[in-house]
Amino acid sequence: VMVTCDERDHADPLVVRYPTFIAEVLSESTGDTDRVEKLAEYCTIDSLQEYLLLDTQTRSAQLHRRRSVGWGQPLTLEGDNVLELVSLDLSCKLATLFD
């Protein structure tokens, strides 16, 4: 899932160049790529504010959030934790994403 708030992304419905938020659902075949390679690439996108990794096996999530200087330590969420996405002004129980 990718969300953009940038008007420049309205020109082409198939391409998003300025995402604000990206979420990935991890799988055994792509998990390492999402956690390492994509994370490194996504962190270079100036418009990106948050990157969320959802693990359906453990029903947990890891949230990477841009800080005023660089990216902070990832936040790990599980169980009844509340997921707060500042970039989308959205808050919900993590469990609702897996139900």
Side-chain angles (χ1 to χ4, degrees), residues 2-12 15-22 42 44-49 66:
M2 191 178 306
V3 176
T4 181
C5 299
D6 195 301
E7 290 289 328
R8 295 173 288 181
D9 282 326
H10 293 270
D12 187 341
V15 178
V16 173
R17 291 186 175 90
Y18 308 97
T20 300
F21 170 79
I22 297 174
Y42 291 162
T44 66
I45 301 172
D46 291 336
S47 62
L48 188 65
Q49 297 301 308
R66 185 182 298 275

Side-chain angles (χ1 to χ4, degrees), residues 54 59-61 77-79 81 83 92-98:
L54 296 168
R59 295 175 62 93
S60 64
L77 303 161
E78 51 193 14
N81 286 148
L83 171 64
C92 67
K93 286 188 177 181
L94 180 65
T96 62
L97 299 178
F98 297 106

Side-chain angles (χ1 to χ4, degrees), residues 18-68:
Y18 308 97
T20 300
F21 170 79
I22 297 174
E24 299 272 2
V25 177
L26 301 175
S27 70
E28 286 186 36
S29 62
T30 65
D32 290 338
T33 301
D34 294 335
R35 287 185 192 98
V36 180
E37 294 173 32
K38 285 187 179 180
L39 173 61
E41 288 180 33
Y42 291 162
C43 286
T44 66
I45 301 172
D46 291 336
S47 62
L48 188 65
Q49 297 301 308
E50 292 172 313
Y51 178 47
L52 179 67
L53 298 164
L54 296 168
D55 188 331
T56 59
Q57 298 295 327
T58 61
R59 295 175 62 93
S60 64
Q62 189 175 60
L63 178 63
H64 298 266
R65 184 175 287 144
R66 185 182 298 275
R67 303 290 183 209
S68 56

Side-chain angles (χ1 to χ4, degrees), residues 69-82:
V69 178
W71 290 79
Q73 290 293 320
L75 176 62
T76 300
L77 303 161
E78 51 193 14
D80 290 333
N81 286 148
V82 173

